[in-house]
Amino acid sequence: MRHTRLKPTYDTVAKKIFQNKEVTKHFIADILDLPVKSVELLDGHQIRLPQDGLPRGFYTVTDILVELDDGTQVIIEIQIVKQRSFVNRLWTYICSQVHDNFENIRKEFQETHLIHERLYPVYGIALLEKNYFPDDKAFHIFSIREETTNQELTIKLKDSPKDHSLLKMAFLELDKYQPETFDKNQLKKWFEFFGNREFTAPLDKIIHQAEHALDFASWSKEEQAMFNDELDILEVNYSRIYWARE
């Protein structure tokens, strides 16, 4: 492991990482192979302690509005997942975002035929600490395709000359990663960064920026206090699980 204290998949640490818009922009572009022009952080990147007493470090969800090079806007849901039913959770967030988009556009335009041509595609990225798929592949991308021809279902969006995927869901199983099975550095660097592994290729400036979020000395006193409280809560819950098993 590169880091023993601030692991990239801890809730508070992940939020620090995704607060850097340049890091988030390049992460989405590399994982989903999209020509990302800019990103706007919508929700889930804020660092705050829960008011409901639930343990932190359990999962992270971040909502991002992405503008592509042709002006198309896409909503990206990023999850760092450690619990069961993560596919159900990711699908729920995607469906909820589609519904919210529809309602927001309906308030603005009223007429139904104007709403549908303005809906954003919604894609998801899941970073998994535990293996899920029954194969050796660490990286999967799913879309909606015709069963016999494998033709992808796409949509046309207003003012865009390109067809875009109706749905994309990318899954990075961090524990499965083997560097020799990847020939693209843009994927390897993210597996090694979020998997907390030693890097096998020279680091670019984006990974250096992402690594800066793991420098505890650069955090504010408030952020440091929140993270220490988060670890305390985790230790209590892990102790409860240990004694329950005993």
Side-chain angles (χ1 to χ4, degrees), residues 186-232:
Q186 67 262 35
L187 291 179
K188 291 176 66 173
K189 67 185 182 184
W190 294 115
F191 270 94
E192 291 169 354
F193 173 73
F194 281 105
N196 201 23
R197 298 172 178 242
E198 293 298 329
F199 292 106
T200 60
L203 304 188
D204 58 26
K205 66 176 184 179
I206 296 302
I207 294 297
H208 278 297
Q209 289 185 36
E211 280 283 282
H212 181 67
L214 281 79
D215 178 9
F216 195 61
S218 69
W219 289 30
S220 69
K221 291 183 178 179
E222 292 77 13
E223 290 171 340
Q224 290 180 2
M226 288 179 179
F227 181 74
N228 287 330
D229 288 345
E230 179 180 323
L231 287 187
D232 291 342

Side-chain angles (χ1 to χ4, degrees), residues 54-73:
L54 293 176
R56 307 306 288 162
F58 202 46
Y59 67 89
T60 296
V61 179
T62 303
D63 300 338
I64 301 155
L65 177 63
V66 174
E67 182 179 354
L68 305 182
D69 62 351
D70 66 346
T72 298
Q73 292 184 315

Side-chain angles (χ1 to χ4, degrees), residues 11-25 39-41 44-48 62 64 209 213 219 223 226:
D11 183 77
T12 304
V13 183
K15 288 176 177 177
K16 283 286 290 183
I17 294 166
F18 290 125
Q19 282 177 350
N20 186 317
K21 291 185 178 181
E22 277 299 299
V23 170
T24 302
K25 171 184 171 182
V39 298
E40 178 185 349
L41 306 180
H45 60 281
Q46 306 91 341
I47 296 176
R48 55 176 179 258
T62 303
I64 301 155
Q209 289 185 36
W219 289 30
E223 290 171 340
M226 288 179 179

Side-chain angles (χ1 to χ4, degrees), residues 82-106:
K82 302 173 186 176
Q83 75 276 39
R84 298 176 182 177
S85 303
F86 77 92
V87 173
N88 311 46
R89 182 181 292 275
L90 181 59
W91 179 239
T92 300
Y93 277 105
I94 287 175
C95 292
S96 297
Q97 191 64 64
V98 172
H99 175 267
D100 292 344
N101 292 345
F102 181 86
E103 291 299 322
N104 291 334
I105 296 172
R106 184 171 65 174

Side-chain angles (χ1 to χ4, degrees), residues 103-242:
E103 291 299 322
N104 291 334
I105 296 172
R106 184 171 65 174
K107 290 177 183 178
E108 182 176 357
F109 292 99
Q110 303 298 320
E111 298 182 30
T112 304
H113 72 279
L114 295 177
I115 297 173
H116 294 122
E117 65 183 11
R118 288 172 168 80
L119 281 177
Y120 304 148
V122 182
Y123 303 155
I125 300 174
L127 291 153
L128 310 176
E129 289 207 326
K130 302 297 182 182
N131 296 340
Y132 180 80
F133 298 105
D135 56 32
D136 295 329
K137 291 179 59 178
F139 183 60
H140 296 79
I141 289 188
F142 292 89
S143 59
I144 299 178
R145 295 181 179 271
E146 207 282 329
E147 288 190 2
T148 56
T149 65
N150 204 38
Q151 178 183 355
E152 185 176 19
L153 186 62
T154 60
I155 55 175
K156 292 185 180 294
L157 303 170
K158 183 176 177 59
D159 301 326
S160 173
K162 301 178 182 179
D163 291 345
H164 293 275
S165 301
L166 177 63
L167 173 69
K168 279 190 175 184
M169 298 173 71
F171 301 93
L172 289 75
E173 293 177 274
L174 302 176
D175 195 47
K176 278 186 184 177
Y177 171 73
Q178 298 295 329
E180 62 272 12
T181 63
F182 283 77
D183 55 5
K184 294 182 178 180
N185 280 334
Q186 67 262 35
L187 291 179
K188 291 176 66 173
K189 67 185 182 184
W190 294 115
F191 270 94
E192 291 169 354
F193 173 73
F194 281 105
N196 201 23
R197 298 172 178 242
E198 293 298 329
F199 292 106
T200 60
L203 304 188
D204 58 26
K205 66 176 184 179
I206 296 302
I207 294 297
H208 278 297
Q209 289 185 36
E211 280 283 282
H212 181 67
L214 281 79
D215 178 9
F216 195 61
S218 69
W219 289 30
S220 69
K221 291 183 178 179
E222 292 77 13
E223 290 171 340
Q224 290 180 2
M226 288 179 179
F227 181 74
N228 287 330
D229 288 345
E230 179 180 323
L231 287 187
D232 291 342
I233 294 171
L234 280 175
E235 288 177 2
V236 169
N237 281 276
Y238 290 150
S239 296
R240 288 173 178 168
I241 293 172
Y242 173 80

